[in-house]
Amino acid sequence: QKEVEQNSGPLSVPEGAIASLNCTYSDRGSQSFFWYRQYSGKSPELIMFIYSNGDKEDGRFTAQLNKASQYVSLLIRDSQPSDSATYLCAVPKAAGNKLTFGGGTRVLVKP
Amino acid sequence: SAVISQKPSRDICQRGTSLTIQCQVDSQVTMMFWYRQQPGQSLTLIATANQGSEATYESGFVIDKFPISRPNLTFSTLTVSNMSPEDSSIYLCSVSTGVGQPQHFGDGTRLSIL
């Protein structure tokens, strides 16, 4: 089992719809979880982080964490073509701050 | 968040040569890391750059191939030594203010080996 797993996609959504991305992790001791957006040819950009079970909202983004089930998800509401990118889930190893990245989910928002 | 300057932004090198990549931060940071992103792949951690001491390397990465320096809390270098075409990747530095805190990335160095 990979430490951090994501569906590679592509996830194709129409403009204005909700994009739902999932990420599962293997280390039960993980305490923090990060979502990064990476446009083609660019470096990853932090868009959300979550530490506690439940939902965290920031603008059109909502992160959801369920530690018992070991998954974290990202919802993008009112998807725009500018949201087309690869979204990376990252989880620090329990003993420190070294990030393990999932393989990324490519999202395509079609006008 | 901190402003991270990474250079060069890209380079084309001959096999067998070495290249040093620099990462400069505009404020002191606790942690600095170096990642590699191979074409079409996700990010893989190479090492943690430790200020004033030897870097901590991940499995599969060794100091002779990827020597790292971190002389102070705002600057680090990664050298890719004796390059081969398999080293063609994007190399990224990241910084964090502490355990559990998010990491922020520089713009990366796109390296091609001929």
Side-chain angles (χ1 to χ4, degrees):
Chain A
Q1 180 189 7
K2 291 183 179 179
E3 293 182 68
V4 181
E5 292 200 68
Q6 296 180 252
N7 188 318
S8 62
L11 176 65
S12 183
V13 296
E15 184 174 357
I18 296 174
S20 179
L21 293 75
N22 294 318
C23 170
T24 58
Y25 60 94
S26 60
D27 188 345
R28 283 192 169 275
S30 298
Q31 297 295 317
S32 51
F33 307 87
F34 307 106
W35 283 100
Y36 289 85
R37 177 177 62 198
Q38 186 174 28
Y39 292 115
S40 180
K42 301 294 185 181
S43 64
E45 172 193 10
L46 179 73
I47 55 171
M48 287 289 288
F49 58 91
I50 187 167
Y51 301 127
S52 304
N53 277 330
D55 295 1
K56 179 182 178 182
E57 187 174 314
D58 185 359
R60 295 186 296 110
F61 299 104
T62 299
Q64 300 174 318
L65 174 61
N66 184 322
K67 291 185 179 180
S69 300
Q70 295 177 248
Y71 81 79
V72 56
S73 61
L74 179 70
L75 301 178
I76 308 174
R77 293 183 303 281
D78 188 23
S79 295
Q80 301 297 309
S82 59
D83 295 324
S84 297
T86 296
Y87 290 80
L88 299 163
C89 173
V91 182
K93 292 183 187 294
N97 213 38
K98 297 186 289 186
L99 289 180
T100 300
F101 282 83
T105 298
R106 186 177 168 210
V107 173
L108 297 174
V109 181
K110 298 186 176 181
Chain B
S1 60
V3 175
I4 306 164
S5 301
Q6 193 175 331
K7 58 180 180 182
S9 59
R10 60 178 62 232
D11 207 338
I12 301 173
C13 300
Q14 298 294 321
R15 66 177 67 202
T17 63
S18 298
L19 178 75
T20 296
I21 302 167
Q22 298 181 0
C23 181
Q24 177 76 54
V25 192
D26 69 343
S27 59
Q28 293 185 346
V29 291
T30 305
M31 299 177 173
M32 295 182 78
F33 305 89
W34 288 97
Y35 290 83
R36 181 174 73 181
Q37 188 172 29
Q38 295 180 303
Q41 304 295 314
S42 188
L43 281 76
T44 301
L45 180 64
I46 297 172
T48 303
N50 300 310
Q51 192 260 327
S53 64
E54 192 172 287
T56 305
Y57 290 85
E58 297 301 301
S59 176
F61 299 96
V62 295
I63 188 171
D64 289 346
K65 177 67 175 177
F66 298 103
I68 289 170
S69 77
R70 190 178 173 194
N72 56 52
L73 292 176
T74 64
F75 185 77
S76 179
T77 66
L78 167 73
T79 299
V80 186
S81 302
N82 188 26
M83 290 184 285
S84 67
E86 292 72 35
D87 295 320
S88 296
S89 287
I90 299 172
Y91 292 85
L92 296 138
C93 74
S94 75
V95 305
S96 173
T97 56
V99 175
Q101 297 303 306
Q103 291 183 25
H104 299 277
F105 288 85
D107 289 339
T109 297
R110 186 179 296 271
L111 184 56
S112 298
I113 315 302
L114 302 179

